[in-house]
Amino acid sequence: MRDILARWERLGYRMENAVEVPGSASRRGGILDIFPIGMDRPVRIELLGNKIDSLRFFDPSTQRSQEQVGAVEMIPAREMLV
């Protein structure tokens, strides 16, 4: 998990307590949240050990998980954020 977070930081994502805006990410136990640049909603990655258990969109205002998503394309945030 540390490798994933370090990679996201190298891509320009900011680690926050809660993911609310594009370009931010957070970790709470076995849950990783990220708001990829170019997407209209953030994604919640629930891990079971080292494997992804679920990948879902979530509402940034309520932090509640929504529908499942099959894949997420990550593009660097550092080139898009001011």
Side-chain angles (χ1 to χ4, degrees):
M1 187 176 314
R2 286 186 209 144
D3 293 341
I4 293 169
L5 298 173
R7 183 169 187 201
W8 288 353
E9 286 184 302
R10 285 193 305 274
L11 289 171
Y13 287 86
R14 294 180 314 273
M15 297 308 294
E16 306 282 347
N17 290 327
V19 170
E20 298 174 335
V21 297
S24 60
S26 74
R27 174 186 176 222
R28 290 178 326 283
I31 297 174
L32 302 176
D33 290 344
I34 190 159
F35 203 143
I37 296 297
M39 293 188 70
D40 60 346
R41 292 184 288 174
V43 176
R44 177 161 291 145
I45 304 164
E46 293 183 46
L47 301 173
L48 188 58
N50 289 332
K51 298 191 185 233
I52 294 175
D53 186 47
S54 73
L55 189 63
R56 298 182 172 278
F57 287 119
F58 72 94
D59 183 327
S61 61
T62 65
Q63 297 292 307
R64 290 184 180 248
S65 294
Q66 298 175 328
E67 74 269 12
Q68 199 159 0
V69 62
V72 175
E73 182 177 353
M74 300 286 301
I75 61 172
R78 68 179 172 271
E79 297 169 5
M80 301 296 288
L81 298 177
V82 178

